[in-house]
Amino acid sequence: MIRLLAARLGQIALVTALLSFAAFLLIGLMPGDPIEIAIAGDPRLSSEDAARLRALHGLDQPLWARYLAWAGGVLEGRFGHSRLFALPVAALLWPALIGTLELLGLALLVAGVCGVALGALAALRPRLGPLVQGFALFAQAVPAFWLGMLLIILFAVHLGWLPAGGSEGGWRALVLPVATLAFANLAAYARHGAAALSAALEEPHIRTARAKGAGERRVLLRHALPNAAVPLLTVAALDAGALVSGALIAETVFARPGMGKLIYDAVMGSDFNLALIALLVVAVVTMLATLAADLAQRWLDPRIA
Amino acid sequence: MRAGLGLLGLLAAFAAAAPWLAALLGHDPFAPDLFNRFAPPSAAHPLGTDELGRDLLLRLAHGARVSLAVGLAAALAATLIGTLVGLLAAWRGGWLDAVLMRLADGLLALPALPLLVILAALDPAAVGLPRGEALADVLRLSLLLAAFGWVGVARLVRAGALSLLARDYVRAARALGVSEARLLWRHVLPGLAAPIAIATALAVGGAILAESALSFLGLGIAPPAPSWGNMLANAQELVFQAPLAALWPGLAILLAVLGCNLVADAISRGR
Amino acid sequence: MGRLLLALLLLAAPALAQPRETLTIGITQYPSTLHPNIENMVAKSYVLGFARRPVTAHDADWRLVCLLCEELPSLENGLAQRETTPDGRPGLRVTWVLREGLRWGDGTPVTTEDLRLTWEAGREAATGMGPAEFYRSAYEFIAEGPRRFTLRFDRVTFEFASLGDFAPLPAHLERARWQADPRGYRSRTLYDTEPTHPGLWNGPYRVAQVQPGAAITLERNPHWSGPAPQFRRITVRTVENTPTLEAQLLAGQIDMIAGELGLPVEQAAALIRRTGARFRAEFRPGLIYEHLDLNLDLPALRDRRVRQALLLGLDRAQIVARLFEGRQTVAHSSVNPLDWPHDPEVRQYPFDPARAAALLAEAGWTPGPDGIRRNAAGERLSFELMTTAGNRSREAVQQVIQAQWRAIGVEARIRNEPPRVLFGETLSRRRFQGAVLFAWVSAPEGVPRSALHSSEIPSAERNWSGQNYTGFRHAEMDAILEALPVELDREARRALWRRLQAIYAEELPALPLWFRQDAHIWPPWLEGVRPTGHLNPSSLWAEHWRAR
């Protein structure tokens, strides 16, 4: 277990380092440094101003030197400054990360509970199986931002029940983003949940439990669900990346502060230091989540190891 | 299976029929008509017109060409890369297998969309592609999506190939001195048809969805070329003025992805 | 019964008695920094307008007025004097007097020491302030007591009374930080590290809370000496996506949308049409000049007749009427009709495809087999038409322009790039092969030197600065652009401006399209907001905003 953990952590470190290098190089090839954009926006900037500002921001250095300086700083915990928000990057990351984790956690919970409930329905009532399958296929095919927009029109504009976005208003502001995000991810849980539960219900010890006269509900909750947990955790592990991608869409549609929106804003505002660091943080967190799901899976089902 | 293929066939026929439809209805889906903006559905414009007075049905048909092309191109590229990598990993094994699969794991664990946002903002000219041309856009997006899409295929193919390579008939062929290339081509690959088909079908749907998401974020196919994604993103900005305009491209995306998923689902159930 | 009545009264009381105390404003951009002198963006000016005042500004009538000073310096009142600089050039010596009783939010008086800090920081290259032209020109700062100061300039300009961005910085908080490390000041300034410090603000409001990327909350500044503002709290919320912004307005999460950074006019007009009396809209014509820059190095576009034909082939009035519900002002040159130097007699180009065709034929371009014109050498009249990718409104206009030009036998090939690439490289390095659709924002009576003077053509030697992207060279235009700033007599300037517009309209280095209007959306109960239509935002007069 320890060796496995060490190997996986090493792998995460390697992927992160490679990713940072590749992204930095690609971004370095982009045209239009911040100074050129400032010139285009402000006719009063003269030739001397351009040279002065470029030297001040270190943009007159070659690309590799900038990468080494940047990576060295990041390793020492100096994340630098966001040009876009004029704040230290670290100060921006924390609230954004918390916001995203809140959204993701709730969406995962809702998707998991609803998905498993649907799956259970399909497993217990085989006649409803095709219906649940059909619903899952449909849910997977709906573009998330389209759904978000439709929800805003319905619940925020026409009915006025919920805020259209932002982060004020506590739980009410979370309802629509969580619903949008959960809907797209619920399908996987419903399908795998149905399959895993049907399989579990066929296992000998459950037949035994049934024979002993345990009620259907008790059989499902106490015996079948724990067995189905392992495949569901696999889905969670595989879906971590997709969930984070969904968060970016939900945060953009609902103007909700978070990591996804931070990356998007940073890219759109040419704040590449912020974009890079935020991307790396998201990648590391996603990979750690995948690892955690894997470990939980092994712990629950020693056969896998 | 039949439902899925039927849906996809219908959409493909719709895309192919774009010029005939234009001739039939008698207008050009690329020529703005400022006197006819946001027209409601009528005989001349079965779905009405967009913000520049262009026929929505015709633009939807032209958008189908672009969106399906992106979906197919990205999925085929992903399948090709994924099959090669998966086969190579299963056949060679050892350190190559380990490296390739760790790479795949790494990519799979990465959040794709934030990365795509950064990659899509890159300058195509920096990697030798022309900027802003529709065909180049399709190519650029397909490559980007394929860069992430191959992983799923590779894992499926590797697992399938490993079990096939261990089968008796493959071992027998090997013992008979069949060349390795022929062995993989004649004996292993055909056995992988089902998983590859599933992965491809899912990848097509995934690519169409991803294209629409990137277009929504302003990083997809650039106007004036219509794609379902940019039509939807456009309609989304005008959602209060013309809510119906957001319905059709959204529905088209939904149907296309649904078709792909149905096909994949049917193959995996062996029907 | 009695108890029930009481309960009813309690329920009704807040709605009846309490005047509105808070105002929530939606804008589409988040200010990157709150430091007054680092970077220049509309969102920052808008938010800072509530919390901090410059010495002078242009008001809603586009006149220069005093905000912190007692009276505008002029040659007549003696506060401005012509003089000769130490190295013998014509210069100016200008004096301002700060109003009495000005205080920072922590009670410290605003004095000339605060202005001295701005001046010193601006002159120090390492500070990293944006344009330093002002600070290079203002070579001496003389404080004559705590409220009176004089600047000496090494050149003469008619704009001498305007101090622009040169506004006090709180020396009691910022001087030590700046002096310790001018190079690191950009990231260490209190404006960004502790923006809620009351001592940073001298306006009617101070920044009370900052949610990066999302919202900035302002509260009344107890040390403000001007008229008391009505709203206790103002929240400025950023929503980039305009449909979401509109949804938040309709859902009641925001009260108003600022026109400075708000909805596109057509979206605003449609909103008002749909919602009736729920909101009020004011459309304010502004100094945002949408135009097509043409690359004059291309042989086809170098011919003036071709440029005139291109403009004659555009039905701008129809585009404005159909796409913008008539809410833009068709432009005839780069000078806004509302700006006093505007010449109503300037040559105009109404839609006239027949005349356009004749001009093109005269220039040697005759219709080819595919409908596109060709010259004697058989080359097609075809060039690229670019704009900022992702700007839906511009992309729509662009496609209409393409269709209208096609009708006169000109092919425009659409190729768009994201703003970063378009402005950062293609335009600034003059790599565009045809026309680019974008906008200039200017101040009232802004001299368009950087866009029209032949010495402002961007090149590697000039670090790619300058905005004469078209490559326009015209000796008389150069002379006018040099004479205008130093001419202090308004009537003499009027003649120069008239000539400038005449040359512009004749030569058409860029094709004028229209001046954008800002759509301000207010609740019916809000009064006293006066949109300006230029770079000094309406929030600079927020103390006059009232709720009914």
Side-chain angles (χ1 to χ4, degrees):
Chain A
M1 202 68 165
I2 302 287
R3 263 191 61 197
L4 176 90
L5 192 65
R8 292 285 299 268
L9 286 177
Q11 185 190 341
I12 290 178
L14 189 67
V15 169
T16 313
L18 282 176
L19 182 69
S20 78
F21 185 63
F24 196 95
L25 287 190
L26 283 171
I27 283 171
L29 292 174
M30 283 195 184
D33 67 41
I35 308 306
E36 281 172 334
I37 294 156
I39 293 175
D42 194 336
R44 296 167 304 170
L45 278 170
S46 65
S47 164
E48 297 101 272
D49 290 331
R52 171 176 59 89
L53 292 174
R54 201 162 272 139
L56 198 64
H57 289 260
L59 290 170
D60 49 355
Q61 300 284 316
L63 195 60
W64 59 268
R66 269 150 57 193
Y67 176 71
L68 286 184
W70 175 83
V74 169
L75 282 182
E76 288 171 23
R78 283 184 287 115
F79 289 166
H81 216 70
S82 154
R83 205 181 50 73
L84 189 63
F85 296 102
L87 280 175
V89 168
L92 285 164
L93 285 178
W94 268 120
L97 196 59
I98 304 276
T100 298
L101 288 180
E102 193 179 52
L103 179 64
L104 285 181
L106 281 171
L108 198 61
L109 191 74
V110 172
V113 169
C114 293
V116 170
L118 278 175
L121 196 69
L124 288 179
R125 302 264 180 286
R127 267 189 309 131
L128 291 179
L131 210 64
V132 171
Q133 288 292 341
F135 176 75
L137 285 173
F138 170 79
Q140 268 175 330
V142 175
F145 64 92
W146 190 57
L147 178 69
M149 210 56 223
L150 296 182
L151 289 179
I152 289 181
I153 296 175
L154 182 63
F155 289 103
V157 178
H158 281 295
L159 298 174
W161 292 349
L162 293 164
S167 56
E168 289 81 8
W171 65 271
R172 300 182 56 227
L174 267 166
V175 176
L176 292 184
V178 166
T180 306
L181 192 51
F183 188 76
N185 290 281
L186 159 170
Y189 292 99
R191 302 178 70 176
H192 289 90
L197 282 172
S198 328
L201 286 174
E202 295 302 310
E203 298 231 346
H205 71 273
I206 293 196
R207 295 199 187 160
T208 322
R210 270 198 182 134
K212 281 184 181 167
E216 252 338 80
R217 185 175 297 166
R218 192 183 152 79
V219 166
L220 192 72
L221 288 180
R222 291 293 301 273
H223 300 279
L225 255 187
N227 273 32
V230 174
L232 285 175
L233 270 174
T234 317
V235 179
L238 283 176
D239 262 16
L243 206 59
V244 172
S245 297
L248 189 149
I249 293 277
E251 284 166 6
T252 316
V253 172
F254 294 99
R256 207 188 141 68
M259 290 304 280
K261 191 160 176 314
L262 196 65
I263 292 177
Y264 179 68
D265 287 349
V267 168
M268 286 303 171
S270 309
D271 186 350
F272 294 123
N273 183 42
L274 178 61
L276 261 181
I277 293 179
L279 175 73
L280 292 179
V281 168
V282 168
V284 168
V285 170
T286 316
M287 287 188 283
L288 287 178
T290 309
L291 178 58
D294 271 4
L295 291 179
Q297 205 178 324
R298 275 160 216 270
W299 179 67
L300 278 175
D301 188 353
R303 277 175 299 179
I304 294 177
Chain B
M1 182 72 152
R2 220 176 291 151
L5 284 179
L7 258 180
L8 292 181
L10 220 60
L11 287 171
F14 180 50
W20 288 295
L21 268 175
L24 192 72
L25 289 169
H27 29 239
D28 178 357
F30 298 98
D33 176 3
L34 291 184
F35 292 91
N36 219 351
R37 304 175 65 220
F38 300 123
S42 64
H45 301 284
L47 297 183
T49 62
D50 71 355
E51 80 276 13
L52 288 178
R54 299 168 301 192
D55 187 84
L56 266 180
L57 181 72
L58 293 181
R59 287 190 71 76
L60 212 54
H62 279 276
R65 299 176 149 207
V66 175
S67 289
L68 294 178
V70 171
L72 273 179
L76 287 181
T79 308
L80 196 70
I81 303 173
T83 308
L84 284 178
V85 170
L87 266 184
L88 196 65
W91 172 64
R92 277 298 296 268
W95 65 268
L96 190 65
D97 182 23
V99 167
L100 286 176
M101 283 305 110
R102 291 297 80 78
L103 183 67
D105 283 350
L107 263 181
L108 201 65
L110 287 180
L113 196 58
L115 249 176
L116 280 174
V117 164
I118 290 191
L119 289 177
L122 290 181
D123 180 20
V127 285
L129 282 170
R131 283 184 197 145
E133 318 241 336
L135 195 66
D137 252 4
V138 170
L139 206 65
R140 174 180 65 92
L141 268 182
S142 309
L143 286 177
L144 268 184
L145 297 177
F148 285 89
W150 65 268
V151 178
V153 186
R155 288 173 71 123
L156 278 174
V157 166
R158 176 178 170 273
L162 274 181
S163 85
L164 283 179
L165 282 168
R167 293 267 172 92
D168 289 340
Y169 74 93
V170 176
R171 289 188 185 183
R174 238 188 200 146
L176 285 174
V178 173
S179 80
E180 291 293 301
R182 191 180 154 81
L183 180 87
L184 289 178
W185 180 249
R186 290 295 299 273
H187 297 282
V188 178
L189 211 51
L192 294 173
I196 291 178
I198 295 173
T200 311
L202 287 177
V204 173
I208 292 175
L209 268 183
E211 187 271 330
S212 78
L214 283 178
S215 283
F216 168 73
L217 297 172
L219 299 162
I221 303 283
S227 82
W228 289 340
N230 72 24
M231 285 177 75
L232 190 50
N234 217 350
Q236 186 261 346
E237 288 201 25
L238 297 162
V239 76
F240 293 105
Q241 276 126 297
L244 270 185
L247 190 66
W248 304 117
L251 214 57
I253 295 173
L254 203 161
L255 289 180
V257 180
L258 192 60
C260 296
N261 290 357
L262 280 172
V263 168
D265 201 45
I267 302 174
S268 70
R269 286 148 182 258
R271 257 182 278 161
Chain C
M1 183 65 195
R3 214 181 267 169
L4 184 71
L5 203 65
L6 188 70
L8 276 178
L9 270 177
L10 280 176
L11 276 176
L16 284 177
Q18 221 163 35
R20 285 172 202 277
E21 288 217 303
T22 63
L23 181 69
T24 307
I25 306 169
I27 59 174
T28 54
Q29 189 186 47
Y30 185 80
S32 70
T33 164
L34 289 177
H35 192 287
N37 299 90
I38 296 173
E39 286 215 32
N40 206 348
M41 60 196 297
V42 184
K44 188 187 80 176
S45 327
Y46 187 75
V47 172
L48 290 189
F50 295 102
R52 164 203 160 270
R53 292 293 150 86
V55 181
T56 62
H58 286 95
D59 69 4
D61 302 317
W62 299 12
R63 283 178 325 208
L64 191 68
V65 294
C66 263
L67 292 183
L68 295 184
C69 48
E70 291 200 320
E71 70 176 316
L72 287 176
S74 68
L75 293 173
E76 291 75 35
N77 67 16
L79 287 175
Q81 288 165 5
R82 286 176 181 271
E83 60 168 19
T84 308
T85 63
D87 50 355
R89 283 188 289 167
L92 280 173
R93 179 188 182 95
V94 191
T95 303
W96 290 263
V97 182
L98 294 177
R99 276 199 340 246
E100 219 165 333
L102 294 174
R103 282 174 193 283
W104 296 100
D106 56 0
T108 315
V110 177
T111 68
T112 46
E113 277 315 293
D114 300 322
L115 286 152
R116 182 190 295 282
L117 171 61
T118 314
W119 182 74
E120 285 176 9
R123 281 179 74 81
E124 166 62 57
T127 313
M129 291 194 182
E133 187 59 43
F134 176 89
Y135 300 100
R136 275 194 294 272
S137 169
Y139 63 90
E140 192 179 352
F141 179 91
I142 310 157
E144 299 153 2
R147 287 171 47 219
R148 188 183 167 94
F149 65 98
T150 296
L151 282 171
R152 296 179 75 194
F153 296 96
D154 66 356
R155 60 185 163 86
V156 175
T157 151
F158 68 83
E159 294 177 305
F160 63 79
S162 163
L163 280 176
D165 291 339
F166 181 68
L169 287 173
H172 64 293
L173 299 173
E174 291 281 280
R175 176 169 283 284
R177 288 181 171 253
W178 173 71
Q179 242 158 7
D181 176 17
R183 187 169 284 270
Y185 176 65
R186 271 177 310 129
S187 50
R188 293 175 2 114
T189 167
L190 272 188
Y191 279 103
D192 290 330
T193 52
E194 199 191 330
T196 54
H197 194 299
L200 295 172
W201 311 109
N202 62 14
Y205 291 91
R206 59 184 182 80
V207 172
Q209 202 197 342
V210 173
Q211 275 177 279
I216 292 176
T217 306
L218 303 134
E219 276 172 9
R220 261 185 244 160
N221 176 1
H223 293 280
W224 167 250
S225 57
Q230 168 165 6
F231 297 103
R232 188 172 52 80
R233 174 184 296 168
I234 291 182
T235 304
V236 182
R237 197 175 289 170
T238 302
V239 182
E240 284 97 348
N241 182 303
T242 55
T244 314
L245 184 64
E246 182 172 342
Q248 294 208 2
L249 181 81
L250 293 173
Q253 284 173 279
I254 52 180
D255 298 314
M256 63 176 265
I257 295 176
E260 283 85 349
L261 280 167
L263 303 179
V265 279
E266 63 276 19
Q267 195 184 338
L271 165 75
I272 295 301
R273 223 178 315 113
R274 268 196 329 275
T275 55
R278 248 188 94 188
F279 302 102
R280 217 148 44 91
E282 177 153 326
F283 295 89
R284 172 71 187 182
L287 280 164
I288 304 176
Y289 171 53
E290 293 276 354
H291 63 281
L292 284 161
D293 259 17
L294 302 175
N295 190 340
L296 304 184
D297 290 355
L298 300 182
L301 297 177
R302 200 179 297 148
D303 189 328
R304 188 171 72 194
R305 290 167 299 187
V306 172
R307 304 199 294 268
Q308 293 178 344
L310 288 176
L311 190 53
L312 285 167
L314 290 183
D315 193 351
R316 291 170 294 165
Q318 200 59 250
I319 297 178
V320 166
R322 299 286 158 187
L323 287 187
F324 302 109
E325 314 224 350
R327 304 286 187 186
Q328 314 276 36
T329 315
V330 173
H332 305 297
S333 76
S334 64
V335 179
N336 191 301
L338 291 176
D339 206 1
W340 74 264
H342 175 73
D343 176 13
E345 314 276 274
V346 70
R347 176 168 177 185
Q348 302 191 358
Y349 292 83
F351 181 51
D352 188 348
R355 175 96 188 90
L359 268 174
L360 285 173
E362 194 187 313
W365 297 96
T366 50
D370 56 351
I372 302 300
R373 290 170 185 268
R374 278 152 219 267
N375 62 8
E379 290 159 350
R380 299 167 80 239
L381 184 45
S382 166
F383 51 84
E384 284 181 350
L385 173 57
M386 308 183 71
T387 192
T388 44
N391 183 324
R392 199 192 52 76
S393 161
R394 283 207 186 121
E395 283 170 345
V397 165
Q398 185 188 30
Q399 294 175 50
V400 177
I401 291 176
Q402 183 187 41
Q404 293 188 343
W405 277 349
R406 218 199 132 75
I408 55 165
V410 177
E411 181 185 64
R413 304 187 307 271
I414 290 181
R415 191 165 76 81
N416 294 337
E417 292 179 346
R420 190 185 57 253
V421 183
L422 184 68
F423 293 123
E425 187 178 271
T426 308
L427 255 181
S428 64
R429 308 219 161 157
R430 305 193 58 234
R431 295 206 181 129
F432 58 108
Q433 299 297 310
V436 183
L437 168 62
F438 67 106
W440 286 128
V441 188
S442 59
E445 206 187 349
V447 178
R449 181 193 158 95
S450 77
L452 295 175
H453 197 283
S454 62
S455 73
E456 296 280 344
I457 300 174
S459 65
E461 299 82 64
R462 309 189 72 238
N463 266 316
W464 303 108
S465 68
Q467 268 116 14
N468 189 344
Y469 302 138
T470 61
F472 182 58
R473 291 169 197 278
H474 194 283
E476 193 189 348
M477 181 64 94
D478 285 356
I480 293 174
L481 290 169
E482 284 154 25
L484 254 177
V486 298
E487 178 57 67
L488 300 190
D489 178 57
R490 190 167 153 129
E491 281 316 304
R493 281 211 303 283
R494 189 189 292 278
L496 289 171
W497 273 112
R498 172 168 299 186
R499 190 62 200 131
L500 183 149
Q501 292 167 75
I503 298 174
Y504 193 98
E506 196 60 35
E507 293 291 331
L508 295 178
L511 304 183
L513 295 177
W514 41 79
F515 290 97
R516 214 146 72 192
Q517 297 188 1
D518 293 337
H520 295 257
I521 313 271
W522 302 319
W525 45 262
L526 184 68
E527 284 177 345
V529 186
R530 292 198 68 200
T532 62
H534 52 71
L535 291 171
N536 292 137
S538 55
S539 54
L540 283 173
W541 291 271
E543 63 270 32
H544 302 298
W545 295 8
R546 289 283 175 269
R548 235 184 336 190

